Amino acid sequence: ALQVRTIAEDVHAPPNDARRYLVVELPNGLQVFLGSDPATDVAAAALSVDCGCFHEPETSLGLAHLHEHMVFLGSEKYPEEDEYNRYLGEHGGDSNAYTTEEQTTYFFKVNAPHLEGALDRFAQLFVAPLFAESCLEREIKAVDSENTNYSMDDSWRMNQLKKTTAVQDHPFARFDTGTWETLGGAVPNETRAALVQWN
């Protein structure tokens, strides 16, 4: 049986919140916040990793964003590219992720009876992701397209302006969304090697 250490049983919650909460630590050091609500028929999970665009190499700007895309596309245990999203979709769920300067968060929801299958597929994306080269060109183009779309957004433009006035040797000043050029779209084998090394 998996040995977990209880960190907190007394989680502060509003008085009208009938859910139960528990914080545990797994043997690998991963801390897990659990919430139980028997009244709902939907289950969800999220994983936040202390790694974002500040941590990517200057030679691969946008690598954190590309990683966020690629990690969903198959694992050694579930190698089919669409297995994770297909499973969620078939069971009333969906998933998404976002990358910030210092964190990346992945999350999903699914009909409660299918949580165990969803968690296994989710976990395997981080245990043994494939980063299949067959998906790489498409995902680099998707990241490039997002960058183009963001450039029309006023809040994104304001953030780019802040970057120009920041201390230029700080990671905040760097470009971080990713484009075909910054992600090495013309040399996908090198980009895949960077993903594997960075993972």
Side-chain angles (χ1 to χ4, degrees), residues 79-134:
E80 293 290 324
E81 175 184 327
D82 65 342
E83 170 63 23
Y84 171 65
N85 284 316
R86 183 192 56 73
Y87 183 88
L88 294 176
E90 288 176 355
H91 301 293
D94 57 39
S95 71
N96 210 335
Y98 61 89
T99 301
T100 64
E101 288 83 1
E102 299 185 87
Q103 287 187 320
T104 305
T105 300
Y106 306 87
F107 54 94
F108 74 85
K109 66 179 179 183
V110 69
N111 289 337
H114 303 283
L115 177 62
E116 188 173 338
L119 276 175
D120 189 42
R121 285 162 177 78
F122 185 66
Q124 292 303 315
L125 297 173
F126 305 99
V127 171
L130 291 182
F131 301 125
E133 198 168 322
S134 61

Side-chain angles (χ1 to χ4, degrees), residues 150-182:
Y150 291 153
S151 69
M152 305 307 286
D153 180 82
D154 286 341
S155 63
W156 188 86
R157 289 176 180 180
M158 184 61 74
N159 198 43
Q160 297 311 301
L161 182 60
K162 289 177 189 174
K163 287 175 176 286
T164 64
T165 62
V167 175
Q168 290 304 295
D169 61 350
H170 189 279
F172 179 75
R174 299 186 316 197
F175 173 73
D176 57 16
T177 312
T179 65
W180 178 261
E181 291 77 21
T182 66

Side-chain angles (χ1 to χ4, degrees), residues 4-13 19-25 32-35:
V4 298
R5 182 174 70 90
T6 299
I7 295 174
E9 292 183 54
D10 184 25
V11 176
H12 296 286
R19 291 176 223 134
R20 292 181 35 220
Y21 299 101
L22 180 67
V23 181
V24 298
E25 184 174 273
V32 180
F33 178 85
L34 301 166

Side-chain angles (χ1 to χ4, degrees), residues 14-88:
N16 61 345
D17 185 350
R19 291 176 223 134
R20 292 181 35 220
Y21 299 101
L22 180 67
V23 181
V24 298
E25 184 174 273
L26 302 180
N28 63 2
L30 186 69
Q31 292 185 358
V32 180
F33 178 85
L34 301 166
S36 176
D37 183 353
T40 185
D41 57 357
V42 175
L47 174 68
S48 287
V49 182
D50 282 335
C51 195
C53 58
F54 279 7
H55 304 97
E56 62 197 13
E58 289 191 36
T59 55
S60 300
L61 298 178
L63 192 66
H65 187 192
L66 179 62
H67 182 276
E68 170 203 313
H69 280 238
M70 290 293 295
V71 80
F72 284 130
L73 302 176
S75 64
E76 287 180 13
K77 184 173 180 182
Y78 300 103
E80 293 290 324
E81 175 184 327
D82 65 342
E83 170 63 23
Y84 171 65
N85 284 316
R86 183 192 56 73
Y87 183 88
L88 294 176

